């Protein structure tokens, strides 16, 4: 009985083995922990990949930085070249301006030298006007000499005015100034034909005064006092003073800025031969021609003095 049972069991196992072969049932394997070497391999590979990426990024960054540095160097070099060119241009311009200024200054100095040598040398002397007082016209002309010649005679008919005739005498042998004309003496005659006042006019250059400013001629050079002294009348030094307000003796063009004339009249008393005599003087600077030519040398500078 038992033997028969064993045979049945063996037959069933054969049948199961045959079915298992037909179905190709996979064998079941037991999962085990991977070895340490198998786990480390992917980690090392990942680290190497990260390191390679970092190196690539670093290399790319270095290239970018190098490119930026090269561009900056080129820009700095270009800026340096531009600055150098600007410096050269400005230096050349400064040199050119200096040369022009030097040339202009030399020309001005040369012109000033010519003008000074032509106008500061005294060409004429003021006649002794005091000595003419009380003379007749003919006596005065004879005393003046220097080619004295009557150029005009005008009758004066003013009630209460002691002067009855004004006579102008040109000193034709005196050097004439191209701008101020010929030195001239004026004789004021009373009713008896006697001279009671005498005057003299001349370009300041003929009297030895150069291209002085209006204020310098009066304040520093004392042109009025010196001219009166030559005429025989002593006037204290420094007596002639300009008005504090320049507008009192200045004339401007319609634009309000262009000076066209400076003129001022002064009055006082001086002494001659122990007697006091009244005097008056007018200094005039006419800038009309100078404004037209742009050269102050063309200023017409004249002085008029009267004694008696």
């Amino acid at each position: 009985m038992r033997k028969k049972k064993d045979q049945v069991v063996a037959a069933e196992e054969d049948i199961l083995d045959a079915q298992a072969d037909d179905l190709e049932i996979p064998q079941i394997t037991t999962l085990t922990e991977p070895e340490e070497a198998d786990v480390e391999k992917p980690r090392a590979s990942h680290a190497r990949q990260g390191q390679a990426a970092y190196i690539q990024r670093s290399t790319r960054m270095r290239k970018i930085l190098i490119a930026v540095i090269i561009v900056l160097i080129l820009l700095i070099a270009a800026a340096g070249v531009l600055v150098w060119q600007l410096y050269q241009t400005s230096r050349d311009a400064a040199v050119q301006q200096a040369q022009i200024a030097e040339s202009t200054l030399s020309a001005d100095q040369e012109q000033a030298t010519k003008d000074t040598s032509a106008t500061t040398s005294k060409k004429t002397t003021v006649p002794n006007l005091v000595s003419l007082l009380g003379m007749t016209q003919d006596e005065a002309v004879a005393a003046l000499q220097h080619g004295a010649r009557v150029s005009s005679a005008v009758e004066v008919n003013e009630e209460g005015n002691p002067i009855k005739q004004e006579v102008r005498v040109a000193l034709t042998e005196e050097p004439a100034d191209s701008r101020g004309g010929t030195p001239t003496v004026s004789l004021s005659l009373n009713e008896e034909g006697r001279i009671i006042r005498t005057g003299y006019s001349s370009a300041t250059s003929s009297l030895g005064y150069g291209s002085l400013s209006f204020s310098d001629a009066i304040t520093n050079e004392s042109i009025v006092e010196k001219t009166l002294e030559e005429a025989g009348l002593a006037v204290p030094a420094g007596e002639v003073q300009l008005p504090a307000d320049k507008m009192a003796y200045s004339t401007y063009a319609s634009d309000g800025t262009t000076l066209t004339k400076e003129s001022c009249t002064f009055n006082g008393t001086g002494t001659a031969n122990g007697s006091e005599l009244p005097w008056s003087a007018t200094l005039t600077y006419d800038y009309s021609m100078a404004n037209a030519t742009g050269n102050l040398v063309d200023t017409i500078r004249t002085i008029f003095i009267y004694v008696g």
Side-chain angles (χ1 to χ4, degrees):
M1 185 69 175
R2 183 175 178 82
K3 184 178 181 182
K4 188 175 183 180
K5 187 176 180 180
D6 293 334
Q7 291 176 350
V8 172
V9 173
E12 288 177 356
E13 289 177 356
D14 294 336
I15 292 170
L16 290 171
D17 292 336
Q19 290 178 352
D21 293 336
D22 293 337
L23 294 174
E24 297 180 356
I25 296 173
Q27 295 181 353
I28 298 173
T29 58
T30 302
L31 296 174
T32 60
E33 288 291 332
E35 296 181 359
E36 186 176 352
D38 295 338
V39 174
E40 290 299 329
K41 287 182 179 181
R43 288 182 181 178
S45 177
H46 180 71
R48 285 194 297 272
Q49 291 177 358
Q51 185 178 7
Y54 173 78
I55 293 172
Q56 290 178 354
R57 286 195 300 272
S58 297
T59 303
R60 185 166 55 253
M61 185 61 67
R62 282 197 299 271
K63 291 181 179 179
I64 293 173
L65 289 174
I66 291 171
V68 171
I69 291 171
I70 292 173
V71 171
L72 289 175
I73 291 172
L74 292 175
L75 289 175
I76 292 171
V81 172
L82 180 60
V83 169
W84 174 254
Q85 290 178 344
L86 290 174
Y87 169 76
Q88 288 290 102
T89 302
S90 62
R91 188 181 68 174
D92 293 343
V95 171
Q96 185 177 7
Q97 289 177 354
Q99 290 175 346
I100 293 173
E102 185 178 357
S103 176
T104 303
L105 180 61
S106 298
D108 291 342
Q109 289 176 341
E110 183 179 358
Q111 181 61 43
T113 302
K114 291 180 180 179
D115 181 62
T116 301
S117 62
T119 60
T120 57
S121 57
K122 191 173 177 60
K123 299 177 182 179
T124 185
T125 56
V126 182
N128 191 324
L129 300 181
V130 175
S131 65
L132 301 179
L133 295 174
M135 291 184 178
T136 64
Q137 174 182 318
D138 293 338
E139 291 172 342
V141 171
L144 285 171
Q145 300 180 356
H146 298 285
R149 185 176 63 188
V150 175
S151 59
S152 67
V154 179
E155 299 295 328
V156 178
N157 294 310
E158 294 180 1
E159 187 176 353
N161 189 349
I163 298 175
K164 299 303 178 181
Q165 189 178 37
E166 289 284 1
V167 178
R168 292 179 64 83
V169 180
L171 304 179
T172 59
E173 292 181 0
E174 291 293 290
D177 182 79
S178 60
R179 291 175 288 272
T182 302
T184 302
V185 173
S186 63
L187 306 174
S188 300
L189 308 178
N190 62 9
E191 192 171 2
E192 288 78 25
R194 296 290 176 176
I195 298 172
I196 59 175
R197 188 179 73 166
T198 59
Y200 175 78
S201 65
S202 173
T204 60
S205 59
S206 296
L207 298 176
Y209 298 95
S211 301
L212 301 170
S213 69
F214 190 80
S215 60
D216 282 344
I218 293 172
T219 305
N220 298 330
E221 290 297 323
S222 301
I223 187 172
V224 173
E225 294 96 324
K226 290 179 180 178
T227 305
L228 286 169
E229 185 177 2
E230 281 194 65
L233 190 67
V235 177
E239 182 169 328
V240 178
Q241 298 290 330
L242 274 173
D245 184 8
K246 186 178 180 180
M247 295 301 295
Y249 56 87
S250 302
T251 303
Y252 291 88
S254 57
D255 59 8
T257 58
T258 303
L259 184 63
T260 59
K261 181 185 289 187
E262 287 181 296
S263 182
C264 193
T265 298
F266 309 92
N267 299 277
T269 58
T271 57
N273 302 322
S275 301
E276 280 197 356
L277 293 173
W279 63 265
S280 65
T282 301
L283 181 67
T284 301
Y285 278 25
D286 189 340
Y287 299 102
S288 301
M289 186 179 296
N291 291 334
T293 62
N295 191 344
L296 283 176
V297 173
D298 293 324
T299 303
I300 301 175
R301 301 174 175 88
T302 51
I303 186 169
F304 300 82
I305 60 170
Y306 298 91
V307 176

